[in-house]
Amino acid sequence: MIGAEFVALSLPPLLIGTFAAIACALPGNFLVLRRQALIGDAISHVVLPGIVVAFLVTGRIGTWPMMLGAAGAALISVALIELIRRLGRVDAGAAMGVTFTAMFAGGVLLLEQSDTSSVHLDVQHALYGNLESLIWLEAAGWKSLLDPVALAALPPELTRIAITLVAVIAFIRLLWRPLKISTFDEGFARAQGIPATLLGLALVVTAAAAAVAAFDAVGSIIVIAMFICPPAAARLMTQRLEAQIWWSVAFATLSAVLGYVLAGYGPLWLGGQNSVSAAGMIATVSGMILAAAALFAPHRKAS
């Protein structure tokens, strides 16, 4: 399937899955090193009700409604965490656990009770995304990559996640030195005049933007996996941050490509008749890569 069929049916999902994986893995490197890896999981839990409410209010799935809804949900979650911590006299970890779980459950309940049949927004798509349905109907082979009319018909999710990936790369590139210093030695960063707290907040916002952009196309399963698995596996391969970044990009790309192929053809190779979820398989492959790194990577004992 190298010709027109591949370009129309498989190229867009492959690119979207790969771009989403890399966009989440890049900020994930810093979150893992800061011991904040589960922030990606928290973001995925919090943004769901915000995205659903944004759709119910505006009646459409768009970049700005989704971003504003997710931002509003994040603010509400912060207020709820503080309220539960103060009134319940529990630690912040317990308050976050209650808040994130309750908000995700509320988002799922809203999806079940609201009419979202006109768009790709339901429980299945929230968890697993809709990679398989993101096809390029106007494609007529590789020549369509140079056809402006055909390019205009690309799935909007591809454009959205591509722009997000460029923004994430630009953020890391522009703030590379202060990010690196504040990640490894926050005290030294403050002594150098680097606003470590503000930088940490900017990193979380960047991760949240990547999660929101990827959420509609690939679902929360990939988002959570890619924030953790490629960066953690890369951390076991090297002690240098620059090399870790490249390793995480390689692992994220491998997970997306291999996972997509195995989801479509793996069951057939084993004698089955149906394919499986691409998002679920991509997350599974990323977990297998992390397991292999934990067993065989050169720096597994040091980490």
Side-chain angles (χ1 to χ4, degrees), residues 34 36 180-192 194-198 200:
R34 291 166 178 250
Q36 297 175 335
K180 184 176 181 180
I181 295 174
S182 62
T183 295
F184 288 104
D185 193 335
E186 186 174 340
F188 178 73
R190 294 182 186 279
Q192 294 294 311
I194 297 174
T197 301
L198 185 61

Side-chain angles (χ1 to χ4, degrees), residues 239-260:
Q239 296 291 334
R240 296 178 59 249
L241 180 57
E242 294 83 353
Q244 178 181 327
I245 295 291
W246 287 109
W247 273 110
S248 69
V249 171
F251 287 148
T253 303
L254 179 63
S255 299
V257 175
L258 186 59
Y260 185 83

Side-chain angles (χ1 to χ4, degrees), residues 6 13 47 68 85 97 99-100 106 118 136 142 167 219 237 247 256 278 283 285 287 289:
F6 173 80
V47 300
L68 292 175
R85 188 181 70 83
T99 301
F100 295 153
S118 60
W136 188 9
W142 293 103
M237 298 299 295
W247 273 110
V285 171
I289 291 174

Side-chain angles (χ1 to χ4, degrees), residues 13 33 41 97 114 118 133 143 148 164-165 170 204-205 217 224 255 271:
L33 291 171
D41 185 23
S114 59
S118 60
S133 67
K143 62 181 180 181
T164 302
L165 176 58
V204 172
V205 170
I224 296 171
S255 299

Side-chain angles (χ1 to χ4, degrees), residues 18-145:
T18 302
F19 290 169
I22 296 174
C24 293
L26 287 175
N29 284 284
F30 296 95
L31 295 177
V32 167
L33 291 171
R34 291 166 178 250
R35 302 185 183 275
Q36 297 175 335
L38 288 179
I39 282 183
D41 185 23
I43 291 171
S44 298
H45 281 74
V46 167
V47 300
L48 178 58
I51 291 174
V52 176
V53 170
F55 166 74
L56 294 177
V57 171
T58 63
R60 65 188 182 91
I61 293 293
T63 302
W64 284 111
M66 290 174 61
M67 293 294 291
L68 292 175
L75 292 176
I76 292 174
S77 69
V78 171
L80 286 176
I81 290 171
E82 188 64 19
L83 184 65
I84 294 173
R85 188 181 70 83
R86 290 180 178 274
L87 296 182
R89 296 182 179 179
V90 297
D91 60 35
M96 284 189 288
V98 171
T99 301
F100 295 153
T101 305
M103 292 190 70
F104 188 77
V108 172
L109 182 61
L110 282 173
L111 281 176
E112 291 286 1
Q113 297 299 319
S114 59
D115 181 17
T116 58
S117 58
S118 60
V119 295
H120 291 301
L121 187 62
D122 53 37
V123 174
Q124 179 181 353
H125 288 120
L127 295 176
Y128 301 110
N130 60 329
L131 265 179
E132 296 85 351
S133 67
L134 301 178
I135 59 178
W136 188 9
L137 295 175
E138 299 296 325
W142 293 103
K143 62 181 180 181
S144 297
L145 296 174

